[in-house]
Amino acid sequence: MEFSFSFPALCILYFLLFFLVKQILKPQSHKKLPPGKRTLPIIGNLHQLAGLLPHRTLKSLSDKHGPLMHLKMGERSAIIVSNARMAKIVLHNHGLAVADRSVNTVASIMTYNSLGVTCAQYGDYWTKLRQIYTLELLSQKKVRSFYSCFEDELANFVESIKSQVGQPIVLYDKASAYLYATICRTIFGSVCKEQEKMMKIAKKTSLLSGTPLRLEDLFPSMSVFCRFSKTLKQLRGLLQEVDDILEEIIVEREKTTEILKEAKDDEDMLSVLLRHKWHNPGGAKFRITNADIKAIIFELILAGTLSVTDVTEWAMVEILRDPKSLKKVYDEVRGICKDKKRVTGYDVEKMEYMHLCVKESTRIHPAAPLLVPRECREDFEVDGYTVPKGAWVLTNCWAVQMDPEVWPEPEKFDPERYIRNPMDFYGSNFELIPFGTGRRGCPGILFGITNAELMLAAMFYHFDWEVADGKKPEDIDMTEDFGAGCIMKYPLKLVPHLAK
């Protein structure tokens, strides 16, 4: 009897033997890890995480094993945080121990090898970038200075919808077009000549990076065999296209514009970054390079469009499905903006009920239900359990925000719950952390929320809405899909009518 083995079969056999021997020879740890499901050899708990909605799967497991749970994801240990008390202990009390990012392969590629504020490791570089973001790029003063830009693009957004009055529109497409235009203008100071191309690249990047973790992230020992995969090759190609566009813009700006030493109220984001490159304000230990600038710009484009579009779409559908909230939003928006030609940023600042609606929507539908993973820098203890150095720390903020002990009827859309129990989503209330908290909380919350609320206010001011295909609002399919974030599986289709 003859046996013949194909090359793929030999590779699989090799890897199985390799991991089995590695498991046998691995020193046994005596650390008391948090509770969790029993693991299988090699794959750990991966078989229990199969499915498209990891935040819901992890919540089901945490309901059985507790709000601090240990899982084995291939070769990696993961600690899952699933309620507000644990979020405060791990992310606040031990914030420095979990200040590093766990950067997967896709994120590393798309951030120029972990440059920029999102994926950079904790240290002087990250601290300086964080200061630039919070004090100069995305501060309240800076966001207000962009109001005229927001309002100009909002007028285009409204006109685009008016051109299709009485016809079905896909809200996601309209919102993302507005956001791409807005973020490009705030970054470059004018319409980017390659804006359409950048939009297409960002969308392709989102689709290709939809898988949260890849084989090489779960099994670092196999990374050498995965680096030439088709997906990674496509992502590197997209990054090269982005790099070419941004390099040309930066070089042209440096040739044609004087880079000032002092900040100006009306300077765009690129001017801020070039000022730090050329004049090193504050005497930082490093000088920003073109690579840093390109990484920052691309992460601003991705975060400022994809996640904000998700926030807008989910808020719209929740408001439409709740007649009481819908009436209050219409009354508030049309009362504040009465007889005006367009909605302004300062109008939106007065819209208290609109803000409650967006806040409640982000509680039920956080754009990133699993916050960007962190990596433990050192061992520390929580309730007698060890969180080990090198472990991934995953915060299931969706589970935190659906805790019935904190949120009565958590599945119910109830904006008025914040009147009874005031909380904000800026990171100080650990029961509500859709944008993260602590050192690694999102620095762009105000920019994103302002744009989401501007779009919603404009839509409710200028138009009356009905669901496409003759459906009632309560019949809208709320099925989730998991891509770069948690999105509607079936994009929301609406029919606009001019406001009466």
Side-chain angles (χ1 to χ4, degrees):
M1 183 179 294
E2 293 183 8
F3 294 94
S4 63
F5 291 95
S6 65
F7 179 72
L10 285 171
C11 288
I12 292 171
L13 180 62
Y14 166 78
F15 285 126
L16 288 173
L17 289 172
F18 172 78
F19 286 119
L20 187 60
V21 171
K22 186 176 179 180
Q23 194 73 21
I24 293 171
L25 297 179
K26 183 179 178 180
Q28 295 299 309
S29 171
H30 299 291
K31 297 172 183 176
K32 186 179 179 183
L33 299 173
K37 294 283 285 186
R38 294 186 65 178
T39 63
L40 292 178
I42 301 176
I43 65 172
N45 299 106
L46 289 178
H47 62 297
Q48 290 149 347
L49 302 177
L52 295 176
L53 300 173
H55 57 292
R56 291 184 179 268
T57 302
L58 289 173
K59 184 180 185 302
S60 297
L61 292 173
S62 294
D63 288 343
K64 297 176 183 177
H65 299 285
L68 190 74
M69 179 175 65
H70 172 260
L71 296 177
K72 194 72 172 175
M73 297 185 179
E75 296 178 350
R76 303 296 301 265
S77 282
I79 303 298
I80 317 300
V81 175
S82 299
N83 74 5
R85 187 179 81 86
M86 282 300 167
K88 183 174 183 179
I89 292 172
V90 174
L91 304 181
H92 178 71
N93 297 359
H94 295 282
L96 188 57
V98 295
D100 272 347
R101 278 288 187 230
S102 177
V103 182
N104 64 35
T105 309
V106 169
S108 178
I109 291 172
M110 302 316 294
T111 56
Y112 290 77
N113 196 24
S114 301
L115 299 179
V117 77
T118 303
C119 293
Q121 299 305 336
Y122 184 77
D124 291 337
Y125 172 78
W126 175 86
T127 300
K128 181 60 180 177
L129 289 193
R130 179 79 181 188
Q131 289 174 349
I132 294 172
Y133 266 74
T134 55
L135 299 179
E136 298 189 68
L137 294 181
L138 298 169
S139 66
Q140 183 180 58
K141 180 181 178 182
K142 196 66 178 176
V143 170
R144 281 180 170 169
S145 77
F146 293 142
Y147 276 0
S148 61
C149 166
F150 296 168
E151 292 156 18
D152 288 345
E153 294 303 330
L154 197 66
N156 296 333
F157 171 74
V158 170
E159 287 303 314
S160 174
I161 296 175
K162 282 183 177 179
S163 70
Q164 293 180 265
V165 162
Q167 304 172 39
I169 66 166
V170 178
L171 178 58
Y172 192 95
D173 294 342
K174 296 290 185 184
S176 60
Y178 161 80
L179 287 162
Y180 281 118
T182 300
I183 192 68
C184 284
R185 280 193 58 183
T186 56
I187 291 172
F188 304 118
S190 60
V191 176
C192 174
K193 64 180 180 180
E194 298 284 6
Q195 183 173 303
E196 290 295 324
K197 188 174 181 180
M198 290 286 286
M199 284 175 60
K200 290 178 181 178
I201 293 172
K203 288 178 180 178
K204 287 180 184 177
T205 301
S206 175
L207 291 172
L208 289 172
S209 61
T211 303
L213 294 171
R214 294 172 50 81
L215 189 63
E216 59 268 30
D217 301 313
L218 302 168
F219 298 96
S221 301
M222 296 179 63
S223 61
V224 67
F225 300 98
C226 301
R227 66 177 60 177
F228 303 110
S229 73
K230 182 179 178 180
T231 298
L232 297 185
K233 183 179 179 180
Q234 288 177 302
L235 284 169
R236 291 188 184 99
L238 291 172
L239 182 63
Q240 186 60 57
E241 290 185 58
V242 171
D243 189 86
D244 292 342
I245 293 170
L246 296 181
E247 182 69 24
E248 182 180 347
I249 291 172
I250 291 170
V251 170
E252 182 65 21
R253 176 69 67 88
E254 289 177 318
K255 283 182 179 178
T256 59
T257 307
E258 180 185 1
I259 309 302
L260 301 176
K261 290 185 178 181
E262 302 296 328
K264 290 175 60 180
D265 289 341
D266 62 346
E267 67 181 344
D268 55 53
M269 294 186 187
L270 179 56
S271 295
V272 173
L273 296 172
L274 288 174
R275 175 159 49 79
H276 279 269
K277 172 187 173 181
W278 285 100
H279 302 299
N280 199 24
K285 296 180 180 179
F286 62 91
R287 189 177 294 276
I288 286 179
T289 67
N290 279 9
D292 298 311
I293 294 173
K294 288 180 282 191
I296 291 168
I297 288 174
F298 197 44
E299 74 176 359
L300 283 168
I301 290 173
L302 291 176
T305 52
L306 302 176
S307 60
V308 181
T309 305
D310 296 340
V311 168
T312 306
E313 186 177 39
W314 282 118
M316 186 69 173
V317 72
E318 288 288 7
I319 293 169
L320 290 174
R321 283 164 49 90
D322 182 46
K324 180 181 175 182
S325 296
L326 181 59
K327 183 180 185 307
K328 287 196 170 187
V329 167
Y330 270 131
D331 290 346
E332 180 179 68
V333 171
R334 294 178 182 182
I336 290 173
C337 300
K338 186 177 180 180
D339 298 328
K340 290 187 175 182
K341 290 185 177 181
R342 63 184 190 178
V343 178
T344 70
Y346 290 104
D347 292 329
V348 167
E349 288 184 12
K350 302 172 187 175
M351 296 179 187
E352 296 179 2
Y353 194 78
M354 173 71 77
H355 188 66
L356 298 183
C357 288
V358 172
K359 187 187 296 187
E360 177 69 343
S361 177
T362 60
R363 181 188 68 81
I364 302 172
H365 309 285
L370 298 177
L371 299 181
V372 182
R374 305 190 188 196
E375 187 164 309
C376 191
R377 308 169 80 209
E378 61 189 25
D379 288 359
F380 63 90
E381 288 198 1
V382 178
D383 290 355
Y385 298 109
T386 298
V387 176
K389 180 180 178 180
W392 284 332
V393 177
L394 297 175
T395 304
N396 189 347
C397 80
W398 179 79
V400 171
Q401 296 171 178
M402 299 300 284
D403 185 348
E405 293 186 9
V406 177
W407 305 99
E409 297 183 273
E411 299 279 353
K412 181 181 179 182
F413 180 73
D414 179 16
E416 294 181 22
R417 68 170 80 235
Y418 302 100
I419 298 173
R420 303 185 295 271
N421 183 16
M423 288 189 189
D424 65 50
F425 45 30
Y426 291 99
S428 58
N429 298 114
F430 292 88
E431 300 85 354
L432 187 66
I433 51 173
F435 305 103
T437 182
R439 288 174 173 82
R440 305 303 304 226
C442 174
I445 301 174
L446 184 61
F447 185 96
I449 291 298
T450 298
N451 273 296
E453 292 179 354
L454 267 168
M455 279 189 286
L456 291 165
M459 286 189 285
F460 286 115
Y461 180 60
H462 293 283
F463 305 100
D464 296 323
W465 296 92
E466 64 177 270
V467 184
D469 303 322
K471 294 180 180 178
K472 297 179 181 179
E474 57 267 27
D475 296 329
I476 295 172
D477 193 325
M478 302 288 282
T479 304
E480 299 171 331
D481 199 2
F482 204 89
C486 192
I487 61 176
M488 292 187 72
K489 185 171 185 178
Y490 305 103
L492 181 61
K493 292 183 179 180
L494 300 172
V495 178
H497 301 281
L498 292 176
K500 299 173 183 176

